[in-house]
Amino acid sequence: MAISEYLESRKNIAGSACGLAGLVLTFTGVAGPYWPVVVAGLYGAGALIAPPERPPLPDFPDPSAQLDELRGDFGRLEAYLADVEVPPVAAGRLTQLHELLSGLLDPGWAAELLAQDPEALHVLARAVRQDVPETVDTFVRTRWWTRLAPGQEPPERHLERQLSLVHEELKRVATLLRETEERRQESHTRYLEDRGRAN
């Protein structure tokens, strides 16, 4: 610890306060000829009982910065999906997912709500960074192997089901955000009604 850090530390401040109390005792004649020992002892006691220094909190990005980063990742996902060939039904489901993700990640009121809901933000991040790309990539790889050695169940069926599950999860997020806004609206209505009755 540097000298300047120690001078500003809690231990030094508490020790100095107790040391000043020792000087007061000296000037009032209580400490007697042993005043240097009393002052030093009180300084040491104050430094010992002082609460430990608290390390600074980690500097995590705020939710708006996380959303900006997620929008960038979504752009990369869009570029990846543009190069992948999927069956028409799965393509339709990907279009629905794209519209839902675009709406949720669009700057504006939805982003404000997302910034206040870490769990919803986590679900979106997982969908963009893991669920959708992994689902599509697994389909592409499995389809290639199926052409060489056909399996029992076509990979298209798994792709459609997985995309449906991701879409349902994202719809639940959108529903929760809508319900948050509805509760806010109802709360404002009650406030206005209560204010009207009070007048």
Side-chain angles (χ1 to χ4, degrees):
M1 180 184 289
I3 293 176
S4 61
E5 289 177 1
Y6 180 77
L7 290 175
E8 297 172 1
S9 71
R10 295 178 183 184
K11 289 189 175 299
N12 183 51
I13 292 170
S16 298
C18 290
L20 284 174
L23 286 175
V24 169
L25 291 174
T26 299
F27 291 128
T28 57
V30 176
Y34 303 106
W35 68 268
V37 175
V38 170
V39 171
L42 286 173
Y43 176 88
L48 286 174
I49 63 169
E53 291 297 318
R54 198 177 76 218
L57 288 171
D59 187 22
F60 293 123
D62 64 7
S64 61
Q66 292 177 20
L67 274 171
D68 289 340
E69 188 178 324
L70 186 54
R71 285 186 195 104
D73 292 342
F74 181 54
R76 286 188 284 281
L77 176 63
E78 289 176 306
Y80 164 72
L81 293 175
D83 293 335
V84 176
E85 183 185 333
V86 294
V89 175
R93 183 60 75 188
L94 278 173
T95 300
Q96 291 175 329
L97 271 170
H98 180 271
E99 291 171 357
L100 189 52
L101 283 167
S102 294
L104 289 169
L105 291 173
D106 190 39
W109 66 267
E112 292 173 13
L113 286 176
L114 278 172
Q116 299 167 13
D117 190 342
E119 184 59 34
L121 189 58
H122 171 71
V123 171
L124 258 68
R126 186 176 58 202
V128 169
R129 295 174 177 150
Q130 179 181 340
D131 295 340
V132 175
E134 187 173 325
T135 294
V136 173
D137 182 60
T138 304
F139 163 74
V140 170
R141 288 184 284 123
T142 307
R143 181 179 58 178
W144 184 83
W145 282 107
T146 304
R147 289 175 181 164
L148 295 177
Q152 294 179 351
E153 194 169 5
E156 290 81 4
R157 191 172 302 158
H158 284 289
L159 174 65
E160 293 163 20
R161 181 67 185 133
Q162 290 169 7
L163 291 175
S164 296
L165 291 169
V166 175
H167 187 256
E168 288 168 15
E169 187 175 35
L170 291 175
K171 276 176 60 177
R172 285 194 294 272
V173 169
T175 300
L176 288 172
L177 294 177
R178 186 202 72 221
E179 289 172 352
T180 299
E181 284 292 59
E182 286 174 351
R183 284 194 300 272
R184 181 178 172 192
Q185 185 182 34
E186 290 167 3
S187 175
H188 189 61
T189 300
R190 283 194 300 273
Y191 162 72
L192 291 174
E193 288 171 348
D194 292 344
R195 192 175 72 184
R197 280 193 290 267
N199 291 338

